[in-house]
Amino acid sequence: MPDTPTSPGPRAEPTPVEGLVLRSTGSWYDVRVGDETVQARVRGKFRLEDRDVTNPVAVGDRVTMRMEDDGTGLITDLLPRHSKLSRRAAGRRAGREHVLVANVDAAWCVQATKLPSFNPGFVDRFLVMAEAYGIPAGIVINKADLVVREDHAEDVAYWQGLYESLGYPVLLVSAETGEGIEGFRERLRGKTSVVAGPSGVGKSTLLNAVEPALGLRTGEVSEKTRKGRHTTTFAELLPVAGGYVADTPGIREFGIWDMEPEELSAYFVEMRAYLGECHFQPCTHDHEPGCAVKAAVEDDEIAPERYLSYLNILESLREGDVGR
Ligand code: GDP
Ligand code: ZN
């Protein structure tokens, strides 16, 4: 304790505490402070500071709080974010940015070997999102136990090899048998990670395998929708492996919504080397003559599946229906 005299009486300002926002339910926030979770509100003027954002404080934010006499907190300040994921707000606040999660360290796309089968379109959309937000990404292929035939094993190895060659880690795991789970747990350790995948790939079973205390509901899709969890606009940070996993709505919720079609190729890592070589600048690499990206696809230097994903996402950007 410093030996400076503290002035008693009502004027003394309490020391602000620092915390991590785990959950948001409209006007209240669950904020982790040390080993405790404090219910907190946001100071009024805070809300009005950024009119283009619907939520001034997001899950994953580090905040400073003043503790009130009733044990609740008053969030007074937001610490700088090193990353975020957001989407376009719907309804009354349409068009504005809604921050889903702040300070994301890593993003994992969950797929299955089958039931449902590996979906490169989903993966590529996810990877573009991660690249656009500057978040390191990887792929988890679950249900390794369902690979019994050799041709199926070759397919899975093809996808694994393709994405690894692009620099993305690919983990082959089974939530059912436990294969690869320890490796995934180590990747999540101490970080804030986003884990997303299409319904049915076994995301909940996988997270339960990594962290049994979670007790996430698994199985029937209809049961989960009934619970309403996936219709909420608020994400939640779940404690996993000494870090947190953001339980977020589906991939369509993530906004690559403010991207211009001309920007897209910069988020396909293997296209970057060719971008300056196209005859037309900017080039969208679909119809322009003298396109270096198309030439690279023809020369097998860019995988045809990746180019197809590129064209599909380009189309949705032109139609303006990405991330809504
Ligand atoms: P989510 O919609 O991605 O959260 O998927 P769930 O975790 O609810 O799992 C969907 C179904 O896949 C359930 O019937 C699970 O039992 C099954 N499942 C999950 N992981 C595995 C796995 O590694 N192997 C097999 N064979 N089935 C799995
Ligand atoms: Zn081009």
Side-chain angles (χ1 to χ4, degrees):
M1 285 287 278
D3 60 358
T4 44
T6 49
S7 59
R11 291 257 176 138
E13 273 285 318
T15 325
V17 295
E18 205 182 299
L20 171 68
V21 179
L22 296 186
R23 207 162 80 100
S24 151
T25 51
S27 48
W28 286 93
Y29 299 86
D30 288 355
V31 181
R32 193 79 180 157
V33 182
D35 291 338
E36 272 180 276
T37 303
V38 173
Q39 306 280 303
R41 276 182 297 187
V42 168
R43 182 181 263 175
K45 77 168 181 72
F46 212 107
R47 294 179 169 278
L48 301 168
E49 272 170 13
D50 190 348
R51 289 170 181 276
D52 295 330
V53 175
T54 61
N55 54 334
V57 176
V59 163
D61 266 325
R62 299 209 160 265
V63 295
T64 50
M65 276 192 308
R66 200 176 72 200
M67 292 308 296
E68 307 282 66
D69 292 338
D70 63 1
T72 65
L74 189 66
I75 297 172
T76 52
D77 216 350
L78 189 64
L79 276 65
R81 291 172 177 156
H82 70 74
S83 69
K84 65 175 177 184
L85 283 177
S86 54
R87 71 172 180 83
R88 187 178 4 215
R92 197 163 54 85
R93 288 153 159 180
R96 286 198 257 169
E97 179 182 7
H98 181 87
V99 180
L100 284 166
V101 200
N103 299 314
V104 180
D105 298 312
W108 292 94
C109 179
V110 185
Q111 291 288 308
T113 58
K114 65 189 262 194
L115 302 173
S117 38
F118 191 90
N119 181 342
F122 187 107
V123 173
D124 293 332
R125 195 175 273 257
F126 183 95
L127 295 176
V128 163
M129 179 273 303
E131 293 293 338
Y133 284 104
I135 297 167
I139 300 162
V140 181
I141 311 179
N142 186 34
K143 310 199 187 187
D145 58 289
L146 297 183
V147 180
V148 286
R149 283 172 44 186
E150 198 168 322
D151 58 339
H152 187 207
E154 279 167 16
D155 282 353
V156 172
Y158 174 78
W159 295 121
Q160 183 162 17
L162 169 58
Y163 288 101
E164 283 177 347
S165 77
L166 301 176
Y168 300 107
V170 181
L171 311 179
L172 186 58
V173 309
S174 169
E176 187 88 5
T177 67
E179 174 189 343
I181 297 302
E182 182 57 31
F184 185 39
R185 187 183 295 121
E186 286 316 306
R187 299 285 193 145
L188 298 174
R189 190 167 299 285
K191 293 183 177 160
T192 295
S193 310
V194 162
V195 178
S199 170
V201 294
K203 193 188 77 164
S204 314
T205 312
L206 179 64
L207 290 174
N208 284 341
V210 170
E211 192 63 72
L214 282 178
L216 295 178
R217 206 180 276 229
T218 63
E220 291 308 303
V221 174
S222 56
E223 222 182 309
K224 279 191 250 179
T225 350
R226 193 154 47 85
K227 203 182 156 201
R229 157 170 246 151
H230 291 270
T231 56
T232 175
T233 54
F234 299 110
E236 181 176 356
L237 289 190
L238 307 170
V240 174
Y244 294 95
V245 164
D247 186 26
T248 57
I251 184 69
R252 301 271 310 166
E253 296 291 323
F254 294 131
I256 40 180
W257 45 272
D258 54 354
M259 191 183 290
E260 295 298 327
E262 294 75 24
E263 274 181 78
L264 179 62
S265 52
Y267 303 121
F268 278 75
V269 291
E270 72 276 50
M271 293 186 184
R272 287 179 184 155
Y274 303 100
L275 299 185
E277 292 168 31
C278 296
H279 181 71
F280 289 97
Q281 295 290 340
C283 181
T284 58
H285 324 295
D286 66 340
H287 62 282
E288 298 91 339
C291 173
V293 169
K294 272 196 288 183
V297 175
E298 275 148 32
D299 292 346
D300 281 335
E301 274 154 31
I302 291 176
E305 298 89 349
R306 288 277 289 173
Y307 183 61
L308 184 64
S309 285
Y310 169 79
L311 292 178
N312 286 337
I313 302 174
L314 185 69
E315 184 70 17
S316 8
L317 288 175
R318 283 179 171 149
E319 287 169 2
D321 73 347
V322 174
R324 260 194 272 157

